[in-house]
Amino acid sequence: MALQQNSDIVAEQQVSIIGFVWRPEEMTPSVIQMAQRTGSRAVFDFSMMGLAGLRSFLRKADTAGHVRGIKISVSTFFDPSLGQLLKETGVRDIWVECHPQFFQGDPSIFIRRLRELTETHRCFPITGDLDLLAAIIKDSSGIGRIVLKGCEASGFVSGETTTALYSMVKKMLPTPSKPLDILIWGGVSTPEAAAAFLLTGANGIVFECVHWLTDMIAIDDVQRQRLSNLRLDSTDLVGLDLLVPCRLFNKGNSLAFREIKTFEDSLYGAEIKEESRRSFVSLVHARALHPLESHFSQDEVIPLGVEAAFAASFVERFGAGTE
């Protein structure tokens, strides 16, 4: 079983990845079959669940073991029981956001854990933090890939644009004899932009939300209209002064965004302490609401990327139907 899984992983490494992020409740046969039919990757986001919740959900919703890719939290990533859970499933790809404020301690601890899991699974560390990226690249033996999250994506991101971050990381890479795959998470809003990255050497693109108006997403007409009304200026960055940029929904009148910004200002001083950054991150995490579960109201903290503004044009060009 393990040998077959490793062989499949090696074979898939040669193919550029086009992925789409889905909520756990969208772990349906139609989504899984669509991914298989199109050769795309379905990444089911369990980052708001702990290990116990993940185990329970997979046992109930994926009895046949068809799910291949999951996104998990840093706490689940470090959980010693994760390895055993993975053996019980068909999961091959582990995606994990790993901004430094999400975990305490030396980055080498994260890299060591990354290398451990990479022995049996494909691990995709997602980050926009240049220091962490540099550490991973410097000690990249056995890791194989990094996933960049530029400032256009949702939630905690880089202070750099996706294009600038991609360029900077390519310059950090070791010699061609020790290649490291580079993928892009969010922030790429059109097929043309995706093609441009792939033509310049990127090994994959993961779309966060451009597919939200297709028939695979179970939302009502009111929510579809809210999504259709999103524009390029419907999101904004906060946390820049603390060096933990975060992109949230804000049309300019969001009370929640203003409260988060006020809290950031209260933490900002002559010396930015790690404790202040973690307090800021904790507040955002505590109040964050998934966009599809929100009302896009002024009092909601909603992580949202620029990509969402292109969901309407995506279905206008390609249609909402996926069958």
Side-chain angles (χ1 to χ4, degrees):
M1 176 75 174
L3 287 175
Q4 179 62 47
Q5 187 178 51
N6 286 341
S7 297
D8 292 342
I9 289 173
V10 171
E12 290 176 358
Q13 286 177 344
Q14 306 303 319
V15 181
S16 294
I17 291 174
I18 300 296
F20 295 87
V21 182
W22 305 89
R23 294 174 296 170
E25 55 263 44
E26 288 145 7
M27 188 188 293
T28 61
S30 58
V31 169
I32 294 171
Q33 290 165 12
M34 182 275 297
Q36 294 172 341
R37 188 173 65 250
T38 60
S40 61
R41 301 293 178 88
V43 180
F44 295 99
D45 187 356
F46 288 93
S47 58
M48 299 304 291
M49 286 189 192
L51 188 71
L54 172 61
R55 175 183 284 111
S56 176
F57 200 101
L58 287 177
R59 283 178 175 174
K60 292 178 182 178
D62 187 37
T63 55
H66 289 154
V67 170
R68 294 291 179 263
I70 59 173
K71 180 172 179 265
I72 59 176
S73 66
V74 166
S75 60
T76 298
F77 176 78
F78 278 110
D79 194 307
S81 301
L82 177 62
Q84 181 57 42
L85 171 60
L86 294 175
K87 290 179 182 178
E88 302 169 3
T89 72
V91 172
R92 298 175 184 171
D93 298 344
I94 306 297
W95 304 74
V96 56
E97 280 199 50
C98 49
H99 303 285
Q101 286 70 38
F102 290 8
F103 59 91
Q104 297 185 20
D106 192 292
S108 63
I109 299 173
F110 176 84
I111 295 171
R112 191 180 310 124
R113 177 60 170 162
L114 191 62
R115 190 173 288 112
E116 289 173 2
L117 289 174
T118 300
E119 291 179 2
T120 54
H121 292 76
R122 297 207 312 173
C123 292
F124 297 80
I126 308 164
T127 189
D129 184 85
L130 283 168
D131 291 338
L132 182 56
L133 284 167
I136 293 174
I137 291 170
K138 182 179 179 180
D139 193 16
S140 62
S141 176
I143 293 177
R145 61 200 63 82
I146 49 177
V147 188
L148 309 183
K149 194 176 183 188
C151 72
E152 302 93 338
S154 68
F156 289 98
V157 294
S158 172
E160 306 289 342
T161 65
T162 301
T163 301
L165 185 63
Y166 177 63
S167 177
M168 295 165 76
V169 168
K170 287 190 72 175
K171 292 178 181 178
M172 294 183 195
L173 289 179
T175 61
S177 61
K178 296 182 179 180
L180 193 65
D181 289 351
I182 304 177
L183 294 90
I184 310 295
W185 181 281
V188 179
S189 306
T190 66
E192 291 80 7
F197 277 109
L198 294 173
L199 287 171
T200 54
N203 300 93
I205 309 290
V206 178
F207 295 97
E208 292 182 310
C209 54
V210 77
H211 54 296
W212 279 355
L213 288 174
T214 67
D215 59 3
M216 291 288 183
I217 304 294
I219 52 177
D220 59 29
D221 290 341
V222 173
Q223 190 72 322
R224 288 185 184 280
Q225 189 58 52
R226 292 182 184 129
L227 288 171
S228 298
N229 290 339
L230 294 173
R231 298 293 180 262
L232 287 174
D233 59 357
S234 295
T235 71
D236 202 356
L237 286 170
V238 68
L240 287 167
D241 290 338
L242 294 177
L243 304 181
V244 280
C246 181
R247 185 169 291 280
L248 303 172
F249 170 71
N250 180 28
K251 287 188 173 182
N253 61 349
S254 169
L255 299 177
F257 185 93
R258 195 178 307 162
E259 290 169 1
I260 295 293
K261 177 59 180 169
T262 298
F263 183 67
E264 177 193 5
D265 292 342
S266 73
L267 296 173
Y268 181 70
E271 181 183 359
I272 303 174
K273 297 181 179 180
E274 197 62 27
E275 181 181 348
S276 297
R277 294 192 180 104
R278 289 206 171 95
S279 295
F280 177 79
V281 169
S282 296
L283 176 66
V284 174
H285 273 163
R287 295 190 58 182
L289 186 64
H290 193 286
L292 295 180
E293 297 165 9
S294 75
H295 296 89
F296 291 99
S297 66
Q298 296 181 358
D299 59 350
E300 294 174 320
V301 175
I302 308 170
L304 189 70
V306 174
E307 183 187 325
F310 291 82
S313 62
F314 183 84
V315 295
E316 287 173 6
R317 291 180 65 181
F318 305 107
T322 52
E323 294 295 332

